[in-house]
Amino acid sequence: MKIVVCIKQVPDTTEVKIDPETNTLIRQGVPSIVNPFDLIAVEVALQLKEKHGAEVTVVSMGPPQATDALKECLAMGADQIFLVSDRAFGGADTLATSYTLAQAIKAKVPDFDMILCGKQAIDGDTAQVGPEMAEHLDIAQVTYVAKLDVDGKKVMAEREHDEGYEQVETAMPVLVTVVKAIADPRLPTIRGTIKANAAEVPVITAADIPFDVNQLGLKGSPTKVMKIFTPERRTQGEIFDGDVNQSVNTLLQRLSDAKLL
Ligand code: FAD
């Protein structure tokens, strides 16, 4: 079985600040981590490898420093890693990101059986890249997966919902996005870290694959960001005290006046 895991390097969110002049994230000097859901996806791939045998390839699209994120996954036990990086990919929204990643995977691991993603990235938070990749590749997708196993080419998954779980069966090739409940990511081993530190990270650039340039970077991105802002703090609510019946009536009246009833 050939498994590809997509990981994104994200800013450590507890440290993120917004530039008050430009209203954009200040990334300089902010420590980066592997998106936590993506470490979980790597763990799921490694568990499937241990149980059924698999070759695990980890890919990231991002600037050159994303090699650190990839090396962390190599140290956890991935078999190979590669980076998708080029100035031509800059300014990509989720559609262009998913197109670029899908083409890179098709070129590098054409006979993949499964692509694993996190359910979402903790900075962009759209949860769109995984499903969009499945569309670009024209393969089945199962999202928000909390349990996963395979039997030959059959894939059995349990999807997490707000109101319970849904069991699904499908066939490979498939794209799966995972939630926190599915596994706890292992720590990199010392031996793995030594191997990873010495590893060369192959890079795919725009010149390496016959990409459709109209689908890359800003040019291939239909999303327009009109404004980024920190929501205003809500004013404190009103407290009705005194007689309970009168307080309830006042509350109902206020809700009715605000057309919320
Ligand atoms: P989600 O869809 O929430 O991620 C879901 C899963 O997809 C992840 O868990 C992971 O498994 C996988 N995944 C997501 N992104 C990657 C990745 N890069 N590599 C591998 N796997 C991944 N971002 C920039 O860094 N530079 C830019 O110049 C830039 N320009 C933008 C311009 C516009 C107009 C817009 C709208 C966005 C721009 N972004 C840019 C943000 C970028 O589009 C998103 O970060 C990216 O598409 C991923 O979306 P997300 O963070 O919502 O990921």
Side-chain angles (χ1 to χ4, degrees), residues 35-254:
N35 180 43
F37 293 109
D38 302 351
L39 285 180
I40 295 169
V42 173
E43 175 62 35
V44 172
L46 296 175
Q47 287 183 12
L48 286 171
K49 174 183 169 178
E50 284 156 3
K51 197 167 169 191
H52 302 283
E55 188 180 274
V56 177
T57 303
V58 181
V59 54
S60 186
M61 171 175 153
Q65 61 265 33
T67 50
D68 294 343
L70 287 165
K71 284 188 173 190
E72 189 177 332
C73 302
L74 197 60
M76 284 171 74
D79 298 298
Q80 44 191 11
I81 51 178
F82 70 94
L83 177 68
V84 182
S85 188
D86 196 303
R87 283 196 171 276
F89 304 146
D93 66 1
T94 61
L95 192 65
T97 301
S98 56
Y99 167 76
T100 312
L101 280 168
Q103 297 307 311
I105 292 170
K106 240 187 339 191
K108 209 58 184 159
V109 193
D111 50 348
F112 70 85
D113 297 293
M114 182 182 290
I115 299 176
L116 283 166
C117 291
K119 72 162 180 161
Q120 69 196 72
I122 59 165
D123 57 346
D125 259 342
T126 66
Q128 289 173 358
V129 170
E132 285 174 354
M133 256 194 289
E135 287 297 314
H136 286 303
L137 294 164
D138 197 19
I139 57 170
Q141 56 176 289
V142 191
T143 51
Y144 302 105
V145 169
K147 273 188 196 162
L148 180 69
D149 207 351
V150 300
D151 181 4
K153 293 282 178 189
K154 193 164 82 172
V155 177
M156 294 84 71
E158 193 168 277
R159 301 186 66 226
E160 196 178 77
H161 282 267
D162 284 347
E163 288 153 19
Y165 293 91
E166 180 188 17
Q167 285 172 344
V168 207
E169 271 186 23
T170 186
M172 297 176 184
V174 64
L175 185 142
V176 174
T177 78
V178 298
V179 299
K180 191 170 183 294
I182 196 168
D184 287 324
R186 68 192 66 187
L187 292 172
T189 61
I190 293 177
R191 186 190 288 247
T193 306
I194 294 168
K195 181 182 150 200
N197 284 342
E200 285 286 320
V201 182
V203 181
I204 286 194
T205 68
D208 295 328
I209 295 175
F211 288 108
D212 171 3
V213 290
N214 292 318
Q215 296 192 60
L216 295 180
L218 204 52
K219 207 173 174 186
S221 300
T223 317
K224 303 284 170 261
V225 180
M226 307 307 285
K227 187 178 171 189
I228 296 179
F229 62 96
T230 309
E232 273 179 35
R233 278 180 74 97
R234 288 177 181 216
T235 51
Q236 202 186 348
E238 194 177 342
I239 296 171
F240 306 113
D241 49 13
D243 179 65
V244 175
N245 287 332
Q246 197 180 336
S247 296
V248 170
N249 286 336
T250 314
L251 173 63
L252 291 174
Q253 189 57 50
R254 293 286 162 82

